[in-house]
């Protein structure tokens, strides 16, 4: 929900200080959580403070990468967001080990130490000069409220509210589904690990494929979103360890492929100059879908006694969101695609907003 705040602050002060402040807040939230004596303390520290810090890191960082590499935006985004898969694979076995060895307070202190490294990572976000811009606060860049009045952006955001309502269901309930079909703890963990591992591969592969000029980026995004929804509809057919492992791996790859194209697609819809603002608003809208989907799936499981309807409903959400992508202006006619510097011409900002290539690439 704090995504728009990250956008506004990074536009005003630059991505580097905002990301560094976010890294400090995320580490501080985890650190204070280690001293909690009541659940309310954890809501305020790990939930509110660390969550705010992550929003201040994610939005400026992703928006900056999108402007660093205008000609390879989808691939650069795919490489960046694949880091989440790597950390997920690392923390999966690490956190239980920390809990067993140091307890939950010690584990939070060590995770806080890891999170404080975001300050150093944020310091590496190089502020690049933009030709024609005057020093000081931006004056003519479109704000958050202007984006809220743009029909294409609202449809794009609504599409991913629906997509996220189904997207996270296998990641949240996949282990329970594995137990439901008779898997033990070890095999259930393998299913989840395989899904996370191929998720990272899907992110990089989709980013690379989207740099091919033959097909507009939004069509790539639509195809991967549809494939993700269809595989999710098939997940109930995995009634053995082997079948569930194969379907979960296919879902992880397709779901991972959606992520970089989703954020690169924002520039296609609103223009590269509004990318940071749009990513912040996208985060806020998506949070409602991601908060709705897994509890709704859990409620359906309680009502029906198994996860079949839960996964079918999640797949339906994904397919419904993908259909909204068809309504976007750049879908049925050729746009500049992932290599375009401004995205949809009708929504491109006035004035130079994209860093010059000479500032980005060494001689």
């Amino acid at each position: 929900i704090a995504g728009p705040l990250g956008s506004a602050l990074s536009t005003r002060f630059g991505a580097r200080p905002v990301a560094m402040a976010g890294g400090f807040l995320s580490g501080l939230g985890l650190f204070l959580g280690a001293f909690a004596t009541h659940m309310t303390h954890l809501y305020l520290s790990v939930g509110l403070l660390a969550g705010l810090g992550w929003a201040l890191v994610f939005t400026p960082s992703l928006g900056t990468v999108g402007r660093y590499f205008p000609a390879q935006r989808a691939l650069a985004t795919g490489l960046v967001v694949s880091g989440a898969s790597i950390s997920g694979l690392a923390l999966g076995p690490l956190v239980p080990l920390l809990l067993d060895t140091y307890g939950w307070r010690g584990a939070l202190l060590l995770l806080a130490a890891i999170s404080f490294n975001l300050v150093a990572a944020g310091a590496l976000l190089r502020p690049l000069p933009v030709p024609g811009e005057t020093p000081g606060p931006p004056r003519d860049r479109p704000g958050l409220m202007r984006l809220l009045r743009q029909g294409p952006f609202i449809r794009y955001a609504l599409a991913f509210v629906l997509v996220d309502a189904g997207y996270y269901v296998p990641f949240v309930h996949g282990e329970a589904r594995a137990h439901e079909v008779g898997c033990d703890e070890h095999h259930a963990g393998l299913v989840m690990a395989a899904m996370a591992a191929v998720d990272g591969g899907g992110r990089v592969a989709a980013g690379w494929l989207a740099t091919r000029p033959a097909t507009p980026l939004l069509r790539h995004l639509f195809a991967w979103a549809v494939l993700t929804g269809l595989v999710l509809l098939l997940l109930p057919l995995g009634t053995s360890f082997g079948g569930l492992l194969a379907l979960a791996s296919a879902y992880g790859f397709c779901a991972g492929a959606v992520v970089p194209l989703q954020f690169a697609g924002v520039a296609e819809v609103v223009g590269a100059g509004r990318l940071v603002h749009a990513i912040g608003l996208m985060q806020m809208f998506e949070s409602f879908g991601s908060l709705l989907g897994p509890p709704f799936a859990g409620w359906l499981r309680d009502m029906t006694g198994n996860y079949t309807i839960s996964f079918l409903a999640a797949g339906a959400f994904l397919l419904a969101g993908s259909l909204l992508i068809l309504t976007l202006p750049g879908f049925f006619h050729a746009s500049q695609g992932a290599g375009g510097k401004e995205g949809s011409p009708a929504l491109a900002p006035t004035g130079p907003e994209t860093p010059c290539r000479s500032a980005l690439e060494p001689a």
Side-chain angles (χ1 to χ4, degrees):
I1 293 177
L5 177 62
S7 299
L9 290 176
S10 62
T11 301
R12 176 65 176 82
F13 300 106
R16 176 185 281 176
V18 175
M20 292 176 69
F24 176 77
L25 290 177
S26 64
L28 181 63
L30 293 169
F31 177 81
L32 294 177
F35 301 95
T37 57
H38 191 274
M39 277 298 296
T40 303
H41 300 158
L42 290 176
Y43 289 136
L44 294 174
S45 57
V46 178
L48 181 63
L49 194 58
L52 172 63
W54 291 326
L56 296 183
V57 171
F58 182 84
T59 308
S61 300
L62 201 58
T64 298
V65 168
R67 299 184 68 196
Y68 277 173
F69 305 101
Q72 300 286 335
R73 184 177 294 121
L75 178 58
T77 304
L79 290 170
V80 168
V81 296
S82 66
S85 300
I86 297 172
S87 63
L89 285 173
L91 290 176
L94 177 62
V95 170
L97 178 63
L98 296 180
L99 290 171
D100 292 339
T101 307
Y102 302 105
W104 69 269
R105 294 184 188 274
L108 278 177
L109 287 175
L110 290 170
L111 291 174
I114 294 173
S115 198
F116 276 125
N117 284 278
L118 286 169
V119 177
L124 297 176
L125 292 177
R126 177 186 174 192
L128 297 175
V130 180
E133 277 194 352
T134 56
R139 293 172 296 175
D140 300 323
R141 295 178 182 173
L144 298 173
M145 297 306 297
R146 186 170 175 182
L147 282 172
L148 290 174
R149 295 194 295 269
Q150 287 187 358
F153 173 74
I154 293 300
R155 294 197 300 275
Y156 192 78
L158 180 58
F160 281 94
V161 172
L162 294 171
V163 166
D164 279 20
Y167 183 95
Y168 292 102
V169 170
F171 294 104
V172 174
H173 296 287
E175 187 172 1
R177 170 61 179 173
H179 291 311
E180 188 177 78
V181 301
C183 296
D184 57 20
E185 289 288 342
H186 174 69
H187 287 90
L190 285 177
V191 170
M192 300 305 294
M195 189 160 55
V198 298
D199 174 277
R203 296 179 185 213
V204 177
W208 177 78
L209 287 173
T211 61
R212 308 305 96 187
T215 306
L217 185 142
L218 291 178
R219 296 184 193 175
H220 283 271
L221 176 59
F222 171 76
W224 284 113
V226 169
L227 282 174
T228 306
L230 292 176
V231 175
L232 187 45
L233 291 176
L234 296 175
L235 269 177
L237 298 179
T239 55
S240 64
F241 168 70
L244 186 60
L245 179 64
L247 287 169
S249 299
Y251 179 80
F253 188 88
C254 295
V258 170
V259 177
L261 303 186
Q262 167 194 348
F263 292 111
V266 174
E268 297 289 309
V269 176
V270 304
R274 306 178 188 182
L275 187 58
V276 177
H277 282 312
I279 288 177
L281 283 174
M282 283 284 296
Q283 279 187 275
M284 183 184 72
F285 284 122
E286 284 184 272
S287 67
F288 298 112
S290 58
L291 287 172
L292 166 69
F296 181 64
W299 177 79
L300 288 176
R301 198 276 179 207
D302 291 340
M303 294 296 102
T304 62
N306 58 59
Y307 278 106
T308 299
I309 301 300
S310 300
F311 287 138
L312 291 177
F317 277 125
L318 264 159
L319 292 176
S322 65
L323 290 177
L324 276 178
I325 299 174
L326 294 172
T327 69
L328 297 174
F331 189 86
F332 288 107
H333 61 79
S335 66
Q336 294 183 42
K341 295 189 178 184
E342 292 299 330
S344 179
L347 298 177
T350 57
E353 285 285 342
T354 305
C356 60
R357 294 295 298 274
S358 59
L360 297 172
E361 299 176 357

